[in-house]
Every structure is written in C-alpha cells, then in structure tokens.
C-alpha cells in the first residue's frame, strides 16, 4: 500500500524546520559536554535523552514493535494534542468523536480551533455505522478518535476494523484502559494501517499517573512527524528513570499482579452493587471502572462525599450515571458500606 501521510499533514508542519537540540547534534553519551549551556554541578544538571531511547528499547522488546514506531509523550494527553497540531488546520479541518467519551478530544479540538463532529454512540454505547458512513468521505475530516475501552462507559468498541478499512484519514484509537481488557490491542495492526495511531499510557494499569508518560504506536512516517513537533525534552530524566525501573521484569510482574487484583475486585464490586436497590443498571466494563445508573446521581454523589468517598458524577454526560474507579479492597469495602447506608 502506498502511504500518503504527507497529504494529511498540515503544510506548515511538512515544511517545518524542527528545533535541533544539543543532544540531537551530538548523541554519544561520553565526553566533556560544553554544548548545551548546562550547569556543570549537581546530579540533575543534564538535559534528558530527547527521544527516550532506553524506554523505547524496552517497550520494543516487550511488544515486538520497532522503536521507530514508538513515540512517548508527556501523558497520552500530549499524544492527543500533537495529533491536532500535526494534521489539523485551524478553522478548516475537522475531527470526529463518538460521545459520550473522554473529554480531552473536544478540549484539544477547541484549543486548536478545529471543528469537532460529535456522533452519539447507540444505546449499547457502540458506533452506529450507518450514521457514520456519510462523514467518511469528507476530505476535511482528518482524524476519527475512538476510545476503546471507552471512558466513561467502560465498554470496548466494535467495528473499528470497518473504520480502518473505509476511512482515508487518521484513525486514533485511545487504548488507555486496554491492559484491563480481554480484547487485543490494535498496536499490532500499525503495520497494516499506516494511518493508525494507537495511544496507550503508563497512567492506568502501570500505576504511574503522576509520572506523566503516554505512548503512541504508529507507522514510522507518523512517528517522524510526532518527533518533529514535540517540545525538545518532553519527558524529564527523573520520569524516564522511573518508567525504566517499572519496566524491569520484577516490577512488570508486580504490575500484572496488581491488574489481577483490580479485576477480581471489579468482579466483587459488581456483585455487591447488584444487591443494592439504588443501583438501577450496571454497564459492562472492560476497564478499571464501572458505570452505574441510579435514581438520583447528584444526590448519591453528594452523600458519598459526606462519607469521604469520592466517585465521578457523570450525570451531566449520561443521565443519572456515576463512574466508580475500582480501588483497593479496603476502599471498595468502604464504598459499598457507604452506599448501603444511603440505600
Ligand atoms: N485517554 C483516556 C481515555 C483517559 O481516560 C485518560 C485519562 N483519564 C487519558 C487518555 C489521559 O491519560 P494520561 O495520563 O496518559 O495523559
């Protein structure tokens, strides 16, 4: 398949001469470094590797994906924002999302002054292909965002392959919650779909939300543009070290153990929620959170706060729905106890 990524990229980005940092110009690790206006004293005095090569090498080995197909961002929120900057001309191009979904696609669209087409998911929170089809030929539609498992609904999205096969623009699949899901990641499809971006994050299953590291897997052509537009040193050395440590075998095992515990806790949380009269519906979830419908979400949300339990009130997005993150066994017990006292 011939790749025409360049036809999708904004002209100014195509022509952009990227910033060339001191570490771009001299890559060796050894030497007397008098090239970056750094301070010679201290332990945190040097700029970090701008391309986070050690982390990418580990991710590459872990997932059998070449390092050239990996980009790391300051959280996956940066991965989302840079997609707008690379592909979307302000006040001209459009992106498409399926709602309800993660709020940052819309915020990034607004920041970048890009029109957002928002199609409702159907009552099972799935994409209605018939509604989508007329939009697939819009030449100003640059990116379709698909969040799977979806936030805040928790379910995996079906028919993604149809969109990959029938849309000529960028398909951005946000897999922030994929490590909790039985579904296979689309990152293994980047070879087949040169316009696919799969974003993942260290913030959820990896338990590293405070470190702010997100991942994009995509064709080398797309990754090159990501590297062209990113801030020169977008991930600090301390954060790179923390992620590298997490990627040690021993720590990976701990991450897997924690995922197992969270999934067992989710099962038991659902069993307990089912017994409560105030819970009207529990939506299926492939993530580390559960969306429930209640009679009066605002009321229950406030009462839980009085019990010192904070969940997410999604009433403004999906009527009378609350989103509950699966916590530790003790936290979940406290949640159920508090809900019983409201019941
Ligand atoms: N995508 C989704 C679907 C999310 O829910 C979140 C965070 N809540 C993000 C991306 C952003 O994650 P990060 O911490 O990697 O910026």
């Amino acid at each position: 398949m011939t790749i025409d990524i360049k036809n999708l990229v904004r002209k100014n980005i195509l022509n952009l001469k990227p910033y060339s940092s001191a570490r771009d110009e001299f890559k060796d690790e050894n030497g007397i470094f008098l090239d970056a206006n750094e301070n010679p004293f201290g332990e945190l005095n040097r700029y970090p590797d701008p391309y986070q090569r050690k982390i990418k090498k580990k991710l590459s080995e872990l997932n059998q994906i070449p390092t050239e197909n990996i980009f790391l961002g300051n959280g996956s929120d940066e991965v989302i924002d840079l997609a707008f900057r690379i592909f979307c001309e302000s006040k001209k191009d459009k992106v498409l999302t399926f709602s309800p979904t993660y709020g940052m696609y819309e915020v990034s669209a607004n920041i970048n002054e890009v029109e957002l087409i928002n199609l409702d998911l159907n009552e099972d929170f799935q994409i209605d292909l018939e509604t989508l089809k007329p939009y697939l030929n819009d030449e100003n539609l640059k990116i379709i965002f698909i969040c799977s498992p979806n936030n805040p609904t928790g379910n995996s999205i079906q028919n993604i392959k149809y969109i990959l096969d029938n849309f000529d623009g960028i398909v951005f699949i946000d897999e922030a919650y994929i490590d909790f899901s039985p579904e296979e990641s689309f990152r293994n499809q980047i070879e087949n779909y040169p316009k696919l971006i799969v974003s993942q994050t260290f913030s959820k299953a990896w338990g590293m939300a405070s470190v702010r590291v997100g991942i994009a897997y995509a064709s080398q052509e797309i990754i090159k543009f990501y590297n062209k537009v990113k801030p020169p040193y977008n991930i600090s050395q301390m954060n790179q070290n923390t992620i590298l440590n997490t990627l040690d075998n021993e720590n990976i095992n701990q991450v897997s153990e924690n995922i197992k515990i969270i999934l067992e806790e989710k099962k038991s949380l659902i069993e307990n929620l089912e017994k409560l009269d105030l819970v009207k519906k529990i939506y299926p979830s492939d993530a580390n959170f559960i969306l429930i419908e209640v009679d009066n979400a605002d009321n229950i949300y406030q009462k839980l706060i009085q019990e010192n339990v904070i969940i997410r009130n999604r009433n403004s997005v999906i009527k009378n729905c609350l989103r509950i993150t699966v916590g530790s066994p003790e936290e979940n017990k406290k949640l159920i106890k508090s809900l019983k006292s409201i019941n």
Side-chain angles (χ1 to χ4, degrees), residues 273-300:
L273 288 168
E274 278 167 347
K275 292 180 198 148
L276 298 176
D277 286 343
L278 59 76
V279 178
K280 299 296 165 217
K281 183 164 183 178
I282 304 170
Y283 286 92
S285 165
D286 283 340
N288 66 331
F289 56 84
I290 306 162
L291 187 76
I292 61 168
E293 189 190 324
V294 292
D295 265 341
N296 187 338
D298 293 344
N299 179 41
I300 292 170

Side-chain angles (χ1 to χ4, degrees), residues 75-77 102 147 151 174 176-177 201 203-204 212:
S76 46
D77 285 334
Y102 181 47
C147 186
N151 177 10
D174 184 337
Y177 300 97
T201 179
S203 298
K204 310 294 179 183
R212 311 303 305 127

